[in-house]
Amino acid sequence: MILGAYWYFKFPESLYHFRFFKFFEGYGGHADNAAELAARVQVENADDFIVKLEKLKTQFKKAFLHLNINENQLIISIGGYVLFDFYFQLALEIEELLIREHAIILDFSIPFKSLSTKAYHTEGENMGNNEHRFLQIIGSDLKKNNAENLSIRIDCNLPLSDKEFFINDLGSICREENLNVFYYNDYDFYNHCNLMLFFTNGRQKKDSIQTVNLNSFGDKVRQLTQKYPLHFGHLEGLKYYPQNGPNIELMVDEEYILSKK
């Protein structure tokens, strides 16, 4: 699974600029639509252009690409529910190809009849379903450049005397499991503590995509229940809700994770 900074509700203002592509935001909720970068163009030779496009797509195995085709006119779509940086980088490289091909920009308001389609799905290791219920996959509110962040959250509690050692062990697991960000909120009460743990990564670009195996990570966290009197969930309800923090253990691209500036 890929974690880190992504875009869905809004465009990454000031980070990317496009001539051919338009950004169609996701709405979430009942609409449940994917966010999309789309370009409607006309090229001299569609078959030749598609061959070149397919060659380019091999450099972006983690991105989804879709084509609607009507003779020499195409709608090129790059979409998903989490658009990481490499999606936008793919769009930029397609634009360079379109410029070299002397493509003409077409108006989206004109009706388009698709005669054929091509879909290029994401490639990579299938890591299976999340086998650990205590691992929650969460989004975030908007951060810098309208980014959101996809993270793992774990709610747990343990004796206060074990807290520091437990946090140190989690940091070691993060380094083993390709996680560059680890921070937490806490609430210490009596001789116990409630913890809200967050694990993620920073921006995911074409040449530095990080994948995380949820089940491998979850297995190692669960093994810590053999070492510490650790329990998942929080004690005492809202009274001792872990709201003190964030306490940062590992961090990259902080403005895209913790604060909007």
Side-chain angles (χ1 to χ4, degrees):
M1 183 176 192
I2 301 175
L3 302 171
Y6 72 94
W7 287 265
Y8 175 74
F9 285 113
K10 290 190 176 183
F11 183 76
E13 299 291 347
S14 79
L15 283 181
Y16 297 100
H17 304 277
F18 296 104
R19 174 181 169 186
F20 292 90
F21 280 92
K22 291 185 177 182
F23 180 76
F24 296 91
E25 63 192 23
Y27 292 103
H30 293 294
D32 193 33
N33 65 309
E36 183 180 33
L37 287 161
R40 183 171 173 178
V41 298
Q42 179 175 306
V43 295
E44 292 183 6
N45 186 317
D47 291 337
D48 181 63
F49 172 77
I50 290 171
V51 169
K52 295 175 182 177
L53 184 60
E54 289 174 341
K55 182 178 179 180
L56 174 60
K57 174 62 175 68
T58 62
Q59 302 175 36
F60 293 85
K61 298 183 185 299
K62 300 293 185 181
F64 174 76
L65 175 67
H66 186 271
L67 303 179
N68 284 292
I69 306 163
N70 183 331
E71 297 182 350
N72 66 336
Q73 296 186 9
L74 304 96
I75 296 178
I76 307 169
S77 302
I78 304 167
Y81 290 91
V82 282
L83 299 189
F84 297 103
D85 273 281
F86 59 83
Y87 281 82
F88 297 92
Q89 291 176 304
L90 171 58
L92 286 176
E93 296 206 23
I94 292 175
E95 289 216 336
E96 292 180 6
L97 177 59
L98 289 168
I99 291 170
R100 292 196 298 271
E101 295 294 310
H102 306 291
I104 299 171
I105 300 172
L106 300 178
D107 191 340
F108 272 99
S109 65
I110 300 173
F112 182 92
K113 182 178 181 180
S114 180
L115 300 181
S116 62
T117 63
K118 284 180 175 286
Y120 307 89
H121 295 278
T122 59
E123 302 176 32
E125 181 182 0
N126 182 2
M127 297 184 181
N129 296 323
N130 178 11
E131 298 173 355
H132 301 282
R133 291 186 177 182
F134 61 86
L135 299 182
Q136 305 173 59
I137 307 302
I138 62 168
S140 72
D141 55 4
L142 298 182
K143 310 299 181 183
K144 184 177 180 181
N145 302 123
N146 295 324
E148 300 165 65
N149 196 275
L150 195 66
S151 304
I152 300 169
R153 170 179 156 180
I154 300 175
D155 295 341
C156 60
N157 67 87
L158 81 170
L160 191 56
S161 58
D162 293 314
K163 176 181 172 182
E164 181 178 353
F165 301 103
F166 173 62
I167 293 297
N168 288 339
D169 283 347
L170 287 174
S172 297
I173 291 173
C174 287
R175 295 179 182 91
E176 295 169 359
E177 293 298 319
N178 211 18
L179 288 160
N180 288 346
V181 175
F182 167 34
Y183 63 97
Y184 65 93
N185 294 345
D186 60 0
Y187 199 113
D188 300 340
F189 57 100
Y190 305 118
N191 294 316
H192 217 77
C193 68
N194 282 333
L195 293 168
M196 186 184 297
L197 311 167
F198 298 92
F199 309 88
T200 186
N201 283 311
R203 294 175 64 184
Q204 299 295 298
K205 298 182 179 180
K206 173 187 174 184
D207 297 322
S208 57
I209 298 173
Q210 297 167 274
T211 57
V212 176
N213 188 315
L214 288 180
N215 293 326
S216 175
F217 173 71
D219 287 344
K220 292 181 180 180
V221 173
R222 186 176 289 281
Q223 287 171 12
L224 294 180
T225 62
Q226 306 300 314
K227 184 176 181 180
Y228 303 105
L230 170 70
H231 299 279
F232 297 111
H234 295 147
L235 292 180
E236 303 292 339
L238 294 177
K239 183 178 180 180
Y240 299 122
Y241 189 77
Q243 55 189 348
N244 300 320
N247 304 286
I248 298 172
E249 295 294 316
L250 299 170
M251 182 57 64
V252 295
D253 297 330
E254 182 173 345
E255 292 177 325
Y256 292 90
I257 295 166
L258 291 181
S259 60
K260 182 179 180 181
K261 296 182 180 179

